Amino acid sequence: MILRYPPRRVTFLSRSDSICFGCLLRQARPRLRPQRQALSTTARAQQTLAEAPSQDGLFKKKYFSANGVYGFRGDVERSSGETLAKKADSSIVTQASNLSTTATTIEDVSPPRPIPPVEASTGLPPPARPRRRRLNPEDDLSNPAVLPDASSRLSALSQQAAPGTLKRTLAAYLSLTKPRLTFLMVLTATAAYSIYPTPSLLLPTVTDAPSLSTLTLLFLTAGTGLASASANTLNMLFEPTHDAKMSRTRNRPLVRGLLGKRAAALFAAATAALGVGALYFGTNPTVAGLGALNIGLYAFIYTPLKRLSVINTWVGALVGGIPPLMGWAAAAGQSASHGGTWRELLIDGKESAGGWLLAALLFSWQFPHFNSLSWGIREEYKNAGYRMLCWVNPRMNARVALRYSILLFPICGGLWWVGVVDQGFLLTSSVANAWFAREAWRFYRNQGGRGSARALFWVSVWHLPVLLVLAMVQKKGLWERVWRAAVGGEVEEEEDEEELERAVETGV
Protein backbone atom coordinates (compact mmCIF):
# COMPACT_ATOMS: atom_id res chain seq x y z
CA MET A 1 0.00 0.00 0.00
CA ILE A 2 1.31 3.45 -0.91
CA LEU A 3 0.07 6.98 -0.53
CA ARG A 4 -0.93 8.28 -3.93
CA TYR A 5 -3.60 10.12 -5.85
CA PRO A 6 -6.71 8.22 -6.98
CA PRO A 7 -6.81 6.94 -10.52
CA ARG A 8 -8.18 9.19 -13.18
CA ARG A 9 -11.76 8.87 -14.17
CA VAL A 10 -11.95 7.81 -17.78
CA THR A 11 -14.70 9.43 -19.81
CA PHE A 12 -16.62 7.07 -22.03
CA LEU A 13 -17.58 8.56 -25.39
CA SER A 14 -19.37 7.09 -28.32
CA ARG A 15 -17.74 9.10 -31.12
CA SER A 16 -14.02 9.30 -31.84
CA ASP A 17 -14.15 12.63 -33.61
CA SER A 18 -15.80 14.66 -30.87
CA ILE A 19 -12.99 14.92 -28.26
CA CYS A 20 -9.49 16.38 -28.08
CA PHE A 21 -6.71 15.47 -25.72
CA GLY A 22 -6.95 18.73 -23.76
CA CYS A 23 -10.63 18.19 -23.02
CA LEU A 24 -9.95 14.59 -22.05
CA LEU A 25 -7.44 15.77 -19.45
CA ARG A 26 -9.88 18.31 -18.02
CA GLN A 27 -12.63 15.67 -17.66
CA ALA A 28 -10.32 13.19 -15.98
CA ARG A 29 -8.65 15.69 -13.59
CA PRO A 30 -8.05 14.05 -10.17
CA ARG A 31 -9.09 15.37 -6.78
CA LEU A 32 -6.48 17.30 -4.87
CA ARG A 33 -6.82 15.21 -1.69
CA PRO A 34 -4.67 12.05 -1.71
CA GLN A 35 -6.07 8.67 -0.72
CA ARG A 36 -4.63 5.33 0.33
CA GLN A 37 -5.27 2.82 -2.44
CA ALA A 38 -3.76 -0.36 -3.69
CA LEU A 39 -1.70 -0.71 -6.80
CA SER A 40 -3.75 -0.82 -9.98
CA THR A 41 -4.26 -4.12 -11.76
CA THR A 42 -5.63 -5.07 -15.11
CA ALA A 43 -8.89 -6.32 -13.63
CA ARG A 44 -9.40 -3.13 -11.62
CA ALA A 45 -8.77 -0.96 -14.68
CA GLN A 46 -11.25 -2.97 -16.74
CA GLN A 47 -13.83 -2.72 -13.98
CA THR A 48 -13.37 1.06 -13.74
CA LEU A 49 -13.80 1.39 -17.47
CA ALA A 50 -16.97 -0.75 -17.47
CA GLU A 51 -18.55 1.26 -14.64
CA ALA A 52 -17.91 4.61 -16.32
CA PRO A 53 -21.23 6.13 -17.48
CA SER A 54 -21.76 7.11 -21.06
CA GLN A 55 -21.57 10.87 -21.77
CA ASP A 56 -22.66 10.96 -25.36
CA GLY A 57 -23.33 14.46 -26.59
CA LEU A 58 -21.24 16.10 -23.90
CA PHE A 59 -18.86 17.56 -26.53
CA LYS A 60 -20.02 18.99 -29.81
CA LYS A 61 -18.45 17.79 -33.00
CA LYS A 62 -18.91 21.15 -34.76
CA TYR A 63 -16.44 22.98 -32.50
CA PHE A 64 -13.65 20.42 -32.81
CA SER A 65 -14.15 19.92 -36.53
CA ALA A 66 -13.72 23.64 -37.11
CA ASN A 67 -10.38 23.63 -35.34
CA GLY A 68 -9.16 20.40 -36.88
CA VAL A 69 -7.99 18.75 -33.67
CA TYR A 70 -8.31 14.97 -33.70
CA GLY A 71 -6.74 12.48 -31.37
CA PHE A 72 -3.41 12.33 -29.56
CA ARG A 73 -0.42 10.38 -30.92
CA GLY A 74 -2.64 8.14 -32.99
CA ASP A 75 -4.57 6.75 -30.01
CA VAL A 76 -7.86 8.19 -31.23
CA GLU A 77 -8.55 8.02 -34.96
CA ARG A 78 -11.49 9.01 -36.99
CA SER A 79 -13.40 6.06 -38.39
CA SER A 80 -16.99 5.78 -39.45
CA GLY A 81 -19.11 2.83 -38.25
CA GLU A 82 -17.02 2.23 -35.08
CA THR A 83 -18.10 3.21 -31.62
CA LEU A 84 -15.94 4.96 -29.10
CA ALA A 85 -16.48 2.10 -26.65
CA LYS A 86 -14.39 -0.27 -28.74
CA LYS A 87 -11.63 2.25 -29.30
CA ALA A 88 -11.50 3.33 -25.65
CA ASP A 89 -11.65 -0.25 -24.40
CA SER A 90 -8.67 -1.38 -26.48
CA SER A 91 -6.66 1.72 -25.60
CA ILE A 92 -7.26 1.53 -21.85
CA VAL A 93 -6.64 -2.21 -21.69
CA THR A 94 -3.30 -1.79 -23.44
CA GLN A 95 -2.28 0.96 -21.05
CA ALA A 96 -3.34 -1.04 -18.02
CA SER A 97 -1.32 -4.05 -19.20
CA ASN A 98 1.77 -1.91 -19.52
CA LEU A 99 1.25 -0.54 -16.03
CA SER A 100 0.94 -3.99 -14.46
CA THR A 101 3.99 -5.30 -16.31
CA THR A 102 6.30 -2.53 -15.19
CA ALA A 103 4.77 -2.32 -11.67
CA THR A 104 4.52 1.46 -11.81
CA THR A 105 1.84 3.75 -10.50
CA ILE A 106 -0.43 6.06 -12.38
CA GLU A 107 1.05 9.53 -11.90
CA ASP A 108 -0.38 12.91 -12.57
CA VAL A 109 -0.07 14.21 -16.04
CA SER A 110 1.04 17.80 -16.00
CA PRO A 111 -0.98 20.20 -18.13
CA PRO A 112 0.35 20.81 -21.61
CA ARG A 113 3.08 23.43 -21.97
CA PRO A 114 2.00 26.70 -23.57
CA ILE A 115 2.62 26.81 -27.30
CA PRO A 116 4.60 29.84 -28.49
CA PRO A 117 2.85 32.21 -30.89
CA VAL A 118 2.91 31.14 -34.50
CA GLU A 119 3.68 33.50 -37.32
CA ALA A 120 0.92 33.76 -39.85
CA SER A 121 3.25 33.92 -42.82
CA THR A 122 5.44 30.88 -42.22
CA GLY A 123 3.44 28.85 -39.71
CA LEU A 124 6.56 28.46 -37.55
CA PRO A 125 7.38 29.93 -34.14
CA PRO A 126 9.35 33.17 -34.30
CA PRO A 127 13.13 32.69 -34.22
CA ALA A 128 14.86 33.26 -30.95
CA ARG A 129 16.63 36.57 -30.54
CA PRO A 130 20.33 36.05 -31.22
CA ARG A 131 22.52 36.60 -28.22
CA ARG A 132 25.10 39.36 -28.50
CA ARG A 133 28.51 37.81 -28.86
CA ARG A 134 30.99 39.03 -26.32
CA LEU A 135 34.06 40.52 -27.94
CA ASN A 136 37.23 38.57 -27.66
CA PRO A 137 40.31 40.71 -27.07
CA GLU A 138 42.12 38.64 -29.67
CA ASP A 139 39.53 39.26 -32.37
CA ASP A 140 40.83 41.28 -35.30
CA LEU A 141 38.30 44.09 -35.51
CA SER A 142 40.78 46.66 -36.72
CA ASN A 143 40.50 46.46 -40.47
CA PRO A 144 39.03 49.84 -41.42
CA ALA A 145 39.11 49.41 -45.18
CA VAL A 146 38.29 45.92 -46.37
CA LEU A 147 36.15 47.30 -49.18
CA PRO A 148 37.70 48.30 -52.51
CA ASP A 149 38.74 51.92 -52.94
CA ALA A 150 36.92 54.42 -55.14
CA SER A 151 39.03 53.59 -58.19
CA SER A 152 38.14 49.91 -57.92
CA ARG A 153 34.44 50.69 -57.63
CA LEU A 154 34.54 52.92 -60.67
CA SER A 155 36.35 50.17 -62.56
CA ALA A 156 33.57 47.74 -61.67
CA LEU A 157 31.01 50.29 -62.88
CA SER A 158 32.91 50.72 -66.13
CA GLN A 159 33.07 46.98 -66.73
CA GLN A 160 29.31 46.63 -66.21
CA ALA A 161 28.57 49.22 -68.89
CA ALA A 162 28.21 48.23 -72.52
CA PRO A 163 31.46 48.21 -74.53
CA GLY A 164 32.12 51.37 -76.52
CA THR A 165 29.68 53.54 -74.54
CA LEU A 166 30.55 56.95 -73.11
CA LYS A 167 29.69 55.76 -69.60
CA ARG A 168 32.24 52.96 -69.78
CA THR A 169 34.99 55.27 -71.03
CA LEU A 170 34.36 58.08 -68.54
CA ALA A 171 34.19 55.71 -65.58
CA ALA A 172 37.47 54.06 -66.60
CA TYR A 173 39.33 57.36 -66.93
CA LEU A 174 37.80 58.77 -63.76
CA SER A 175 39.00 55.74 -61.82
CA LEU A 176 42.59 56.63 -62.81
CA THR A 177 42.36 59.87 -60.82
CA LYS A 178 41.70 58.28 -57.38
CA PRO A 179 38.70 60.56 -56.76
CA ARG A 180 38.84 60.54 -52.95
CA LEU A 181 42.53 61.42 -52.79
CA THR A 182 42.09 64.10 -55.45
CA PHE A 183 39.17 65.58 -53.51
CA LEU A 184 41.35 65.74 -50.38
CA MET A 185 44.05 67.62 -52.27
CA VAL A 186 41.56 70.13 -53.64
CA LEU A 187 39.91 70.54 -50.23
CA THR A 188 43.13 71.41 -48.44
CA ALA A 189 44.26 73.83 -51.15
CA THR A 190 40.98 75.76 -51.23
CA ALA A 191 40.76 75.78 -47.42
CA ALA A 192 44.20 77.38 -47.18
CA TYR A 193 43.13 79.94 -49.78
CA SER A 194 40.11 80.94 -47.71
CA ILE A 195 42.02 81.01 -44.39
CA TYR A 196 44.65 83.43 -45.73
CA PRO A 197 44.30 86.78 -43.89
CA THR A 198 42.70 89.34 -46.15
CA PRO A 199 45.06 92.35 -46.53
CA SER A 200 43.69 95.85 -46.08
CA LEU A 201 44.45 96.70 -49.70
CA LEU A 202 41.85 94.13 -50.84
CA LEU A 203 39.07 95.02 -48.39
CA PRO A 204 35.75 95.93 -50.07
CA THR A 205 36.03 99.44 -48.61
CA VAL A 206 39.17 100.08 -50.64
CA THR A 207 38.21 98.37 -53.89
CA ASP A 208 34.92 97.36 -55.43
CA ALA A 209 36.17 93.81 -55.99
CA PRO A 210 35.73 90.99 -53.47
CA SER A 211 38.45 90.47 -50.89
CA LEU A 212 39.88 87.45 -52.74
CA SER A 213 39.32 86.70 -56.41
CA THR A 214 36.71 84.04 -57.17
CA LEU A 215 38.29 83.49 -60.57
CA THR A 216 41.64 82.76 -58.92
CA LEU A 217 39.91 80.23 -56.65
CA LEU A 218 38.36 78.56 -59.71
CA PHE A 219 41.73 78.20 -61.43
CA LEU A 220 43.27 76.93 -58.20
CA THR A 221 40.59 74.27 -57.81
CA ALA A 222 40.78 73.06 -61.42
CA GLY A 223 44.57 73.11 -61.57
CA THR A 224 45.05 71.28 -58.27
CA GLY A 225 42.53 68.61 -59.25
CA LEU A 226 44.12 68.01 -62.66
CA ALA A 227 47.63 67.88 -61.20
CA SER A 228 46.50 65.33 -58.61
CA ALA A 229 44.80 63.28 -61.34
CA SER A 230 48.04 63.18 -63.32
CA ALA A 231 50.09 62.06 -60.31
CA ASN A 232 47.61 59.31 -59.41
CA THR A 233 47.46 58.05 -62.99
CA LEU A 234 51.24 57.76 -63.13
CA ASN A 235 51.17 55.93 -59.82
CA MET A 236 48.81 53.29 -61.26
CA LEU A 237 50.78 53.15 -64.48
CA PHE A 238 54.01 52.18 -62.70
CA GLU A 239 52.67 49.39 -60.45
CA PRO A 240 49.77 47.38 -61.96
CA THR A 241 51.58 44.11 -61.14
CA HIS A 242 51.74 44.96 -57.45
CA ASP A 243 48.21 46.36 -57.38
CA ALA A 244 46.94 42.97 -58.53
CA LYS A 245 48.20 41.40 -55.27
CA MET A 246 46.01 43.51 -52.96
CA SER A 247 42.26 43.25 -52.45
CA ARG A 248 41.82 47.04 -52.36
CA THR A 249 43.60 47.65 -55.66
CA ARG A 250 43.19 44.49 -57.72
CA ASN A 251 40.15 45.94 -59.50
CA ARG A 252 41.80 49.09 -60.76
CA PRO A 253 41.41 49.82 -64.50
CA LEU A 254 44.93 48.93 -65.62
CA VAL A 255 44.86 45.68 -63.63
CA ARG A 256 41.55 44.63 -65.18
CA GLY A 257 42.57 45.73 -68.66
CA LEU A 258 39.87 48.38 -69.07
CA LEU A 259 42.48 50.80 -70.37
CA GLY A 260 45.86 50.28 -71.98
CA LYS A 261 49.12 51.71 -70.70
CA ARG A 262 49.41 53.98 -73.70
CA ALA A 263 45.99 55.51 -73.02
CA ALA A 264 46.86 55.98 -69.34
CA ALA A 265 50.16 57.65 -70.20
CA LEU A 266 48.47 60.07 -72.61
CA PHE A 267 45.84 60.86 -70.00
CA ALA A 268 48.52 61.58 -67.38
CA ALA A 269 50.41 63.87 -69.72
CA ALA A 270 47.26 65.75 -70.73
CA THR A 271 46.06 66.31 -67.17
CA ALA A 272 49.54 67.42 -66.06
CA ALA A 273 49.79 69.97 -68.87
CA LEU A 274 46.28 71.32 -68.28
CA GLY A 275 46.68 71.42 -64.51
CA VAL A 276 50.05 73.14 -64.39
CA GLY A 277 48.92 75.52 -67.14
CA ALA A 278 45.79 76.49 -65.23
CA LEU A 279 47.84 77.16 -62.12
CA TYR A 280 50.42 79.20 -64.05
CA PHE A 281 48.02 81.48 -65.93
CA GLY A 282 45.22 81.55 -63.34
CA THR A 283 47.25 82.04 -60.14
CA ASN A 284 51.02 82.61 -60.29
CA PRO A 285 54.20 80.75 -61.31
CA THR A 286 54.97 79.77 -57.71
CA VAL A 287 51.73 77.79 -57.39
CA ALA A 288 52.33 76.16 -60.78
CA GLY A 289 55.81 75.13 -59.70
CA LEU A 290 54.46 73.57 -56.51
CA GLY A 291 51.92 71.63 -58.57
CA ALA A 292 54.58 70.27 -60.89
CA LEU A 293 56.78 69.42 -57.91
CA ASN A 294 53.96 67.43 -56.35
CA ILE A 295 53.48 65.36 -59.50
CA GLY A 296 57.18 64.51 -59.59
CA LEU A 297 57.39 63.64 -55.89
CA TYR A 298 54.37 61.34 -55.94
CA ALA A 299 54.95 59.59 -59.25
CA PHE A 300 58.72 59.34 -59.52
CA ILE A 301 59.94 59.27 -55.90
CA TYR A 302 57.18 58.03 -53.62
CA THR A 303 55.91 55.28 -55.94
CA PRO A 304 59.22 53.40 -56.45
CA LEU A 305 60.31 54.11 -52.87
CA LYS A 306 57.39 52.07 -51.50
CA ARG A 307 59.22 48.86 -52.40
CA LEU A 308 62.59 50.04 -51.05
CA SER A 309 62.24 51.69 -47.65
CA VAL A 310 59.73 52.69 -44.99
CA ILE A 311 60.82 56.30 -45.52
CA ASN A 312 58.20 56.34 -48.29
CA THR A 313 55.58 57.21 -45.69
CA TRP A 314 57.34 60.50 -44.91
CA VAL A 315 57.68 61.31 -48.61
CA GLY A 316 53.97 60.62 -49.11
CA ALA A 317 53.14 62.91 -46.17
CA LEU A 318 55.25 65.62 -47.79
CA VAL A 319 53.18 65.27 -50.96
CA GLY A 320 50.03 65.77 -48.90
CA GLY A 321 51.43 68.90 -47.25
CA ILE A 322 52.10 70.77 -50.51
CA PRO A 323 48.47 71.60 -51.54
CA PRO A 324 47.94 73.93 -48.51
CA LEU A 325 51.07 75.80 -49.57
CA MET A 326 49.63 76.10 -53.08
CA GLY A 327 46.40 77.64 -51.78
CA TRP A 328 48.29 79.98 -49.49
CA ALA A 329 50.63 81.16 -52.26
CA ALA A 330 47.68 81.68 -54.61
CA ALA A 331 46.03 84.00 -52.08
CA ALA A 332 49.27 85.79 -51.20
CA GLY A 333 50.02 86.48 -54.86
CA GLN A 334 47.05 88.85 -55.11
CA SER A 335 48.69 91.35 -52.75
CA ALA A 336 52.36 90.76 -53.59
CA SER A 337 54.32 93.99 -53.95
CA HIS A 338 57.61 92.71 -55.37
CA GLY A 339 56.58 90.71 -58.39
CA GLY A 340 55.21 87.71 -56.49
CA THR A 341 58.40 85.67 -56.46
CA TRP A 342 58.52 82.40 -54.62
CA ARG A 343 60.69 83.91 -51.88
CA GLU A 344 58.18 86.68 -51.26
CA LEU A 345 55.21 84.33 -51.19
CA LEU A 346 56.71 81.48 -49.18
CA ILE A 347 59.63 82.87 -47.16
CA ASP A 348 59.95 86.66 -46.90
CA GLY A 349 56.27 87.51 -46.71
CA LYS A 350 54.73 88.64 -43.42
CA GLU A 351 52.04 85.99 -43.52
CA SER A 352 54.11 83.17 -45.04
CA ALA A 353 54.39 81.40 -41.67
CA GLY A 354 50.67 80.60 -41.79
CA GLY A 355 51.07 78.63 -45.00
CA TRP A 356 53.88 76.53 -43.58
CA LEU A 357 51.86 75.82 -40.43
CA LEU A 358 48.94 74.57 -42.53
CA ALA A 359 51.36 72.41 -44.50
CA ALA A 360 52.72 71.04 -41.21
CA LEU A 361 49.15 70.34 -40.09
CA LEU A 362 48.48 68.19 -43.16
CA PHE A 363 51.91 66.54 -42.90
CA SER A 364 51.31 65.48 -39.29
CA TRP A 365 47.70 64.41 -39.80
CA GLN A 366 48.62 61.85 -42.45
CA PHE A 367 50.62 59.59 -40.12
CA PRO A 368 47.79 58.60 -37.76
CA HIS A 369 45.48 58.36 -40.76
CA PHE A 370 47.65 56.16 -42.95
CA ASN A 371 49.26 54.09 -40.16
CA SER A 372 45.86 53.02 -38.85
CA LEU A 373 44.63 52.30 -42.38
CA SER A 374 47.66 50.23 -43.33
CA TRP A 375 47.64 48.21 -40.09
CA GLY A 376 44.42 46.45 -41.07
CA ILE A 377 45.88 45.25 -44.39
CA ARG A 378 49.49 44.80 -43.31
CA GLU A 379 49.67 41.24 -44.64
CA GLU A 380 48.57 42.41 -48.07
CA TYR A 381 51.23 45.10 -48.10
CA LYS A 382 53.78 42.47 -47.13
CA ASN A 383 52.70 40.03 -49.84
CA ALA A 384 52.68 42.80 -52.46
CA GLY A 385 56.25 43.78 -51.61
CA TYR A 386 55.51 47.24 -50.17
CA ARG A 387 57.74 48.13 -47.22
CA MET A 388 55.41 49.76 -44.75
CA LEU A 389 55.87 50.34 -41.03
CA CYS A 390 52.69 48.40 -40.28
CA TRP A 391 54.51 45.09 -40.87
CA VAL A 392 58.21 46.03 -40.89
CA ASN A 393 58.03 47.59 -37.39
CA PRO A 394 54.51 47.51 -35.91
CA ARG A 395 55.52 49.17 -32.62
CA MET A 396 57.14 52.06 -34.45
CA ASN A 397 54.05 52.31 -36.64
CA ALA A 398 51.86 52.94 -33.58
CA ARG A 399 54.45 55.18 -31.91
CA VAL A 400 54.75 57.44 -34.97
CA ALA A 401 50.95 57.79 -35.15
CA LEU A 402 50.80 58.88 -31.50
CA ARG A 403 53.75 61.26 -31.85
CA TYR A 404 52.32 63.20 -34.78
CA SER A 405 48.83 63.34 -33.28
CA ILE A 406 50.31 65.15 -30.25
CA LEU A 407 52.24 67.47 -32.56
CA LEU A 408 48.93 68.90 -33.80
CA PHE A 409 48.49 70.85 -30.54
CA PRO A 410 51.47 73.22 -31.00
CA ILE A 411 50.73 73.54 -34.73
CA CYS A 412 47.21 74.81 -34.05
CA GLY A 413 48.58 77.10 -31.35
CA GLY A 414 51.04 78.48 -33.89
CA LEU A 415 48.21 79.45 -36.21
CA TRP A 416 46.87 81.69 -33.47
CA TRP A 417 50.32 83.02 -32.62
CA VAL A 418 51.01 84.28 -36.14
CA GLY A 419 47.57 85.91 -36.39
CA VAL A 420 45.81 83.56 -38.79
CA VAL A 421 42.96 82.57 -36.42
CA ASP A 422 41.47 84.11 -33.28
CA GLN A 423 41.71 82.92 -29.69
CA GLY A 424 38.59 80.76 -29.88
CA PHE A 425 40.41 78.42 -32.23
CA LEU A 426 42.74 77.46 -29.40
CA LEU A 427 39.83 75.96 -27.46
CA THR A 428 37.90 74.34 -30.31
CA SER A 429 40.99 72.88 -31.98
CA SER A 430 42.20 71.52 -28.65
CA VAL A 431 38.96 69.59 -28.23
CA ALA A 432 39.28 68.05 -31.70
CA ASN A 433 42.97 67.30 -31.22
CA ALA A 434 42.34 65.73 -27.81
CA TRP A 435 39.79 63.39 -29.40
CA PHE A 436 42.34 62.51 -32.08
CA ALA A 437 45.19 62.01 -29.60
CA ARG A 438 43.02 59.82 -27.37
CA GLU A 439 42.35 57.37 -30.20
CA ALA A 440 46.03 57.47 -31.20
CA TRP A 441 46.94 56.54 -27.61
CA ARG A 442 44.54 53.58 -27.71
CA PHE A 443 46.09 52.56 -31.01
CA TYR A 444 49.56 52.70 -29.46
CA ARG A 445 48.56 50.95 -26.22
CA ASN A 446 46.75 48.08 -27.97
CA GLN A 447 49.17 47.93 -30.90
CA GLY A 448 46.28 48.14 -33.33
CA GLY A 449 44.21 45.44 -31.63
CA ARG A 450 40.77 45.55 -29.96
CA GLY A 451 39.38 47.77 -32.72
CA SER A 452 41.77 50.65 -31.98
CA ALA A 453 43.06 50.88 -35.57
CA ARG A 454 39.57 51.11 -36.99
CA ALA A 455 38.57 53.75 -34.43
CA LEU A 456 41.63 55.89 -35.15
CA PHE A 457 41.05 55.66 -38.89
CA TRP A 458 37.45 56.90 -38.73
CA VAL A 459 38.34 59.64 -36.25
CA SER A 460 41.01 60.85 -38.67
CA VAL A 461 38.45 60.95 -41.48
CA TRP A 462 36.32 63.40 -39.47
CA HIS A 463 39.13 65.23 -37.71
CA LEU A 464 40.68 66.98 -40.70
CA PRO A 465 37.53 68.57 -42.21
CA VAL A 466 36.35 69.61 -38.74
CA LEU A 467 39.68 71.31 -38.04
CA LEU A 468 39.73 73.11 -41.40
CA VAL A 469 36.15 74.33 -40.98
CA LEU A 470 36.96 75.61 -37.49
CA ALA A 471 39.95 77.52 -38.87
CA MET A 472 37.83 79.10 -41.63
CA VAL A 473 35.00 80.04 -39.26
CA GLN A 474 37.38 81.45 -36.64
CA LYS A 475 39.57 83.35 -39.06
CA LYS A 476 41.27 86.37 -37.55
CA GLY A 477 39.00 89.45 -37.68
CA LEU A 478 36.17 87.70 -39.54
CA TRP A 479 33.48 88.12 -36.88
CA GLU A 480 34.62 91.65 -36.05
CA ARG A 481 33.97 92.68 -39.64
CA VAL A 482 30.64 90.89 -39.64
CA TRP A 483 29.63 92.70 -36.46
CA ARG A 484 30.68 96.13 -37.75
CA ALA A 485 28.91 95.49 -41.02
CA ALA A 486 25.75 94.55 -39.11
CA VAL A 487 25.74 97.61 -36.83
CA GLY A 488 27.05 99.99 -39.51
CA GLY A 489 30.28 100.97 -37.80
CA GLU A 490 33.72 101.80 -39.13
CA VAL A 491 35.42 98.95 -40.91
CA GLU A 492 38.95 100.25 -40.94
CA GLU A 493 41.12 99.94 -37.91
CA GLU A 494 44.25 101.87 -37.12
CA GLU A 495 46.54 99.03 -38.10
CA ASP A 496 44.63 98.58 -41.35
CA GLU A 497 45.08 102.24 -42.21
CA GLU A 498 48.76 102.08 -41.44
CA GLU A 499 49.15 99.03 -43.65
CA LEU A 500 47.31 100.81 -46.47
CA GLU A 501 49.60 103.84 -46.15
CA ARG A 502 52.70 101.63 -46.32
CA ALA A 503 51.32 99.93 -49.43
CA VAL A 504 50.68 103.29 -51.13
CA GLU A 505 54.16 104.54 -50.26
CA THR A 506 55.74 101.45 -51.88
CA GLY A 507 53.90 102.27 -55.11
CA VAL A 508 51.32 99.51 -55.11
Side-chain angles (χ1 to χ4, degrees):
M1 300 290 292
I2 63 172
L3 184 64
R4 68 176 187 84
Y5 288 100
R8 297 183 179 276
R9 181 183 178 189
V10 181
T11 304
F12 184 83
L13 300 173
S14 59
R15 296 295 301 271
S16 63
D17 54 357
S18 61
I19 187 64
C20 71
F21 182 70
C23 296
L24 181 62
L25 290 178
R26 286 196 295 271
Q27 288 297 318
R29 183 171 298 169
R31 294 191 299 272
L32 297 178
R33 190 170 50 190
Q35 297 179 359
R36 299 173 62 89
Q37 293 185 1
L39 291 173
S40 300
T41 61
T42 303
R44 185 180 296 274
Q46 292 179 352
Q47 182 180 0
T48 302
L49 180 61
E51 293 176 355
S54 175
Q55 299 182 7
D56 189 16
L58 181 61
F59 304 102
K60 296 182 179 181
K61 176 181 177 182
K62 178 189 294 187
Y63 173 79
F64 294 100
S65 298
N67 288 273
V69 181
Y70 297 103
F72 176 72
R73 295 187 179 181
D75 291 340
V76 181
E77 298 179 357
R78 185 176 183 180
S79 62
S80 59
E82 293 185 358
T83 61
L84 184 60
K86 294 181 180 180
K87 302 291 288 185
D89 183 52
S90 59
S91 177
I92 296 300
V93 169
T94 304
Q95 295 180 10
S97 301
N98 295 336
L99 288 175
S100 60
T101 304
T102 58
T104 59
T105 60
I106 302 177
E107 299 178 353
D108 291 337
V109 179
S110 60
R113 298 175 61 182
I115 302 175
V118 180
E119 295 183 358
S121 59
T122 61
L124 298 175
R129 170 180 280 182
R131 298 179 61 184
R132 180 177 294 180
R133 185 175 67 89
R134 301 183 64 179
L135 295 180
N136 187 350
E138 301 299 330
D139 290 346
D140 184 8
L141 302 177
S142 307
N143 188 352
V146 296
L147 297 177
D149 58 2
S151 296
S152 299
R153 294 183 178 181
L154 286 171
S155 298
L157 180 64
S158 174
Q159 192 172 24
Q160 293 173 1
T165 59
L166 181 62
K167 178 180 179 180
R168 183 185 181 95
T169 304
L170 290 179
Y173 279 104
L174 184 61
S175 63
L176 290 174
T177 65
K178 297 184 181 179
R180 292 178 182 173
L181 183 58
T182 298
F183 175 76
L184 178 63
M185 298 294 102
V186 173
L187 173 66
T188 55
T190 54
Y193 182 86
S194 63
I195 295 173
Y196 181 83
T198 305
S200 301
L201 184 63
L202 297 180
L203 287 175
T205 55
V206 179
T207 63
D208 295 332
S211 59
L212 291 177
S213 173
T214 305
L215 184 61
T216 302
L217 178 62
L218 179 62
F219 276 103
L220 174 67
T221 303
T224 304
L226 290 170
S228 177
S230 175
N232 293 326
T233 302
L234 291 173
N235 173 264
M236 292 188 188
L237 183 63
F238 294 155
E239 50 185 18
T241 304
H242 302 279
D243 285 343
K245 301 176 183 178
M246 299 184 63
S247 59
R248 293 182 64 250
T249 57
R250 65 181 53 162
N251 291 325
R252 286 179 174 176
L254 295 180
V255 178
R256 305 186 70 168
L258 299 177
L259 293 172
K261 291 187 176 182
R262 182 174 180 272
L266 291 175
F267 179 75
T271 51
L274 291 174
V276 175
L279 294 174
Y280 184 86
F281 294 103
T283 58
N284 54 65
T286 302
V287 180
L290 290 174
L293 175 63
N294 224 16
I295 295 175
L297 279 177
Y298 190 75
F300 301 103
I301 298 180
Y302 168 74
T303 299
L305 198 59
K306 289 195 297 182
R307 295 185 293 276
L308 300 177
S309 173
V310 295
I311 201 68
N312 70 83
T313 306
W314 278 262
V315 177
L318 183 62
V319 172
I322 289 180
L325 273 181
M326 296 170 60
W328 194 268
Q334 300 181 48
S335 59
S337 58
H338 298 286
T341 63
W342 67 272
R343 291 186 59 88
E344 180 184 3
L345 299 181
L346 299 178
I347 298 177
D348 297 336
K350 180 181 178 182
E351 293 85 7
S352 59
W356 289 103
L357 286 172
L358 287 176
L361 175 66
L362 266 293
F363 179 84
S364 301
W365 171 86
Q366 289 178 84
F367 289 95
H369 174 76
F370 178 75
N371 289 10
S372 59
L373 169 65
S374 61
W375 193 91
I377 51 177
R378 56 193 180 280
E379 294 299 328
E380 294 193 9
Y381 275 118
K382 183 178 181 180
N383 296 332
Y386 295 131
R387 298 191 60 82
M388 300 295 177
L389 277 176
C390 54
W391 69 269
V392 174
N393 193 339
R395 292 193 61 84
M396 184 178 179
N397 181 71
R399 187 167 61 251
V400 168
L402 177 61
R403 181 186 305 159
Y404 281 96
S405 66
I406 297 176
L407 188 59
L408 293 173
F409 286 94
I411 292 175
C412 292
L415 288 173
W416 166 76
W417 182 262
V418 299
V420 177
V421 294
D422 57 25
Q423 294 181 354
F425 183 75
L426 290 177
L427 176 61
T428 55
S429 65
S430 297
V431 174
N433 291 333
W435 178 36
F436 198 29
R438 175 182 176 272
E439 296 301 331
W441 165 252
R442 290 185 62 247
F443 178 66
Y444 171 74
R445 183 184 61 184
N446 299 312
Q447 293 298 305
R450 303 178 66 91
S452 59
R454 174 180 296 181
L456 178 59
F457 172 77
W458 287 113
V459 169
S460 68
V461 170
W462 287 100
H463 174 266
L464 181 62
V466 167
L467 210 60
L468 293 178
V469 169
L470 289 176
M472 289 186 289
V473 171
Q474 296 174 308
K475 180 180 176 180
K476 181 72 173 180
L478 175 63
W479 293 106
E480 295 177 2
R481 293 169 184 167
V482 172
W483 172 256
R484 285 195 292 268
V487 300
E490 297 278 341
V491 178
E492 295 86 5
E493 296 181 351
E494 295 182 0
E495 57 270 20
D496 294 337
E497 294 177 356
E498 294 177 358
E499 185 178 351
L500 177 60
E501 293 176 358
R502 287 195 301 269
V504 173
E505 290 176 357
T506 55
V508 180

